Amino acid sequence: MMDRKKTLAAIARHVTDADIVLPVYSTAFDWIDIRPNPLNYLSHGAMGLASSHALGLALGRPDKKVIVLDGDGSLLMNLGTLVSTAEAAPKNLFHFVCENGTYEANGGHPIPGRGAVSFAGMARSAGYKSVYEFSDLKIFEQQVGAILAEQGPVFVCLKIVSSGDQERDYSRLHGPHVRKAFKDALGAG
Amino acid sequence: MEMLASASAGVASRAVAGLSGESIIREIKASGIQFVISVPDITTSEGLLRPLAKLTDPGLIRICKEDEGVAICAGLSFTGKRGLLLIQQTGLLDSINAIRGNAVEYQLPICMMVGLLEKEVGVMPRQSKRYGVRIVEPILEAMGIDYHNVEEQGDVTKIRPAIDTAYADSKPVVLLIGQRPS
């Protein structure tokens, strides 16, 4: 299992200022401190829809790399996204899932199928041609750069554990100033 | 255009003209829609979705569930490209939380074209004998979402201004398709 903050830091080393990143819930609170940038797309409602927002962004801005940092509980709420994204096949979309086996933002209760479900297997069956799974941070650090240089859509399952308590100020994700900053930054380039 | 009327006993109906799918598609294109995102709907299946599927502009994105489409349209809205979600009212009802959060609370121009399954031709949705039809307008009103009924040919002219207004004011809009387009 990989520490989430260290795992996200490994991704951040290969993310440019021009890339769009959609981190979800607990991952989002870690990510916005690791990579503060107006092109972090943070307002994606609830119920697992971040990856679908990402598909819209990827279709609308094929010149931009779009990276989703999803959660396992979130993906379970929107499994159809794997099929829809594989069908649309945007070359610029990278779907990472942080698997910790819990609904961490809602009390840490276990997800159904914890430890039994294969998210990588589901992505492969949905039609993703490029699918990875990592539980060793050193191996992930060695490979993440090459993965982000691939042609999408790419799916990556990351077996992680929480890095500890977080201060969750949801206005940092859902406030109107967040969407305005994103829109302005995307419009500028 | 052939005039049609509902034969449903006990429901006040009026004669209405038919609806041309070709003209609706023309308005969709004139509205600058570049992507149609859809789960099939029986009302619009033959007259809209099947001909749209033959076009490259707008592009058709087939999805598994309607709330995905709400989010795809939300993402698109930030990119300056316009999307239209083509669904059935069952999918609209299933997606209420996604619409609540992403369209209403985030104030995004999510444009939805919604076929009204089992609505009687010539009967306004609110007067339908079908529970699943007559609740649609009150729900949209409760959510503060603008909507327009598109049931006969003269209603097609509502489409472009409705979509333009949604984008100008950054708010959602629903176009309710009240009979099967030809």
Side-chain angles (χ1 to χ4, degrees):
Chain A
M1 295 294 174
M2 304 184 291
D3 176 86
R4 184 170 54 218
K5 282 186 178 174
K6 290 178 181 173
T7 306
L8 295 177
I11 296 171
R13 286 195 282 277
H14 298 277
V15 171
T16 74
D17 283 345
D19 296 337
I20 297 169
V21 182
L22 299 89
V24 174
Y25 281 127
S26 303
T27 297
F29 288 112
D30 285 343
W31 178 260
I32 55 181
D33 290 334
I34 292 169
R35 190 248 192 182
N37 185 302
L39 285 179
N40 289 330
Y41 184 102
L42 304 168
S43 302
H44 23 73
M47 315 297 280
L49 292 175
S51 56
S52 301
H53 283 260
L55 179 52
L57 290 163
L59 291 168
R61 286 298 300 265
D63 58 314
K64 289 268 184 197
K65 197 173 282 185
V66 179
I67 301 162
V68 194
L69 305 175
D70 212 349
D72 49 0
S74 293
L75 179 54
L76 284 178
M77 291 186 184
N78 185 20
L79 281 174
T81 189
L82 295 175
V83 178
S84 302
T85 301
E87 159 101 351
K91 294 176 181 174
N92 54 334
L93 196 150
F94 298 80
H95 190 171
F96 291 79
V97 173
C98 294
E99 180 185 355
N100 66 356
T102 71
Y103 289 109
E104 186 178 345
N106 288 312
H109 301 278
I111 61 168
R114 178 180 189 172
V117 170
S118 168
F119 292 97
M122 287 198 285
R124 202 173 286 114
S125 298
Y128 274 78
K129 290 183 174 60
S130 192
V131 177
Y132 300 89
E133 183 178 274
F134 294 95
S135 57
D136 184 299
L137 183 59
K138 284 187 178 163
I139 295 173
F140 178 62
E141 286 174 330
Q142 288 165 1
Q143 296 192 21
V144 60
I147 289 170
L148 282 170
E150 283 189 28
Q151 181 172 290
V154 173
F155 183 92
V156 185
C157 182
L158 304 168
K159 306 269 191 179
I160 59 101
V161 291
S162 168
S163 305
D165 291 341
Q166 295 175 317
E167 188 176 327
R168 292 182 184 150
D169 174 1
Y170 280 95
S171 70
R172 296 181 74 193
L173 308 185
H174 300 298
H177 62 285
V178 176
R179 291 185 294 285
K180 183 178 186 314
F182 177 83
K183 189 171 186 178
D184 290 348
L186 189 61
Chain B
M1 192 74 68
E2 186 182 0
M3 301 296 280
L4 303 169
S6 167
S8 300
V11 177
S13 65
R14 61 195 170 89
V16 296
L19 195 54
S20 155
E22 187 181 338
S23 66
I24 294 175
I25 291 171
R26 199 161 47 239
E27 287 302 301
I28 290 171
K29 293 175 82 164
S31 304
I33 297 294
Q34 289 165 280
F35 292 95
V36 173
I37 298 97
S38 183
V39 178
D41 151 53
I42 196 62
T43 301
T44 55
S45 163
E46 297 307 313
L48 283 181
L49 182 54
R50 214 173 290 283
L52 279 166
K54 294 176 182 165
L55 304 176
T56 54
D57 181 20
L60 176 64
I61 305 297
R62 299 184 192 274
I63 55 172
C64 302
K65 205 152 165 287
E66 292 81 354
D67 57 351
E68 282 181 66
V70 173
I72 292 169
C73 288
L76 273 171
S77 75
F78 284 92
T79 70
K81 304 239 173 104
R82 291 186 174 187
L84 177 71
L85 183 57
L86 178 61
I87 56 175
Q88 190 162 275
Q89 94 266 25
T90 47
L92 177 84
L93 296 174
D94 194 54
S95 301
I96 280 178
N97 188 58
I99 296 166
R100 183 274 309 164
N102 296 285
V104 180
E105 293 196 333
Y106 289 168
Q107 297 177 293
L108 295 179
I110 311 298
C111 299
M112 294 164 268
M113 187 167 278
V114 178
L116 292 174
L117 173 70
E118 295 191 324
K119 191 188 82 62
E120 307 88 336
V121 176
V123 176
M124 295 307 288
R126 202 182 295 265
Q127 272 77 52
S128 173
K129 290 177 75 175
R130 307 284 187 180
Y131 170 78
V133 173
R134 68 174 180 267
I135 64 172
V136 171
E137 289 176 314
I139 287 172
L140 293 173
E141 287 167 13
M143 295 178 75
I145 297 173
D146 291 346
Y147 65 89
H148 305 273
N149 282 295
V150 179
E151 175 154 32
E152 56 186 321
Q153 194 54 37
D155 296 331
V156 170
T157 56
K158 299 175 183 175
I159 294 172
R160 196 186 328 180
I163 292 171
D164 284 343
T165 299
Y167 277 88
D169 297 347
S170 200
K171 63 181 183 180
V173 70
V174 173
L175 297 152
L176 297 169
I177 305 297
Q179 68 164 305
R180 296 186 183 199
S182 60

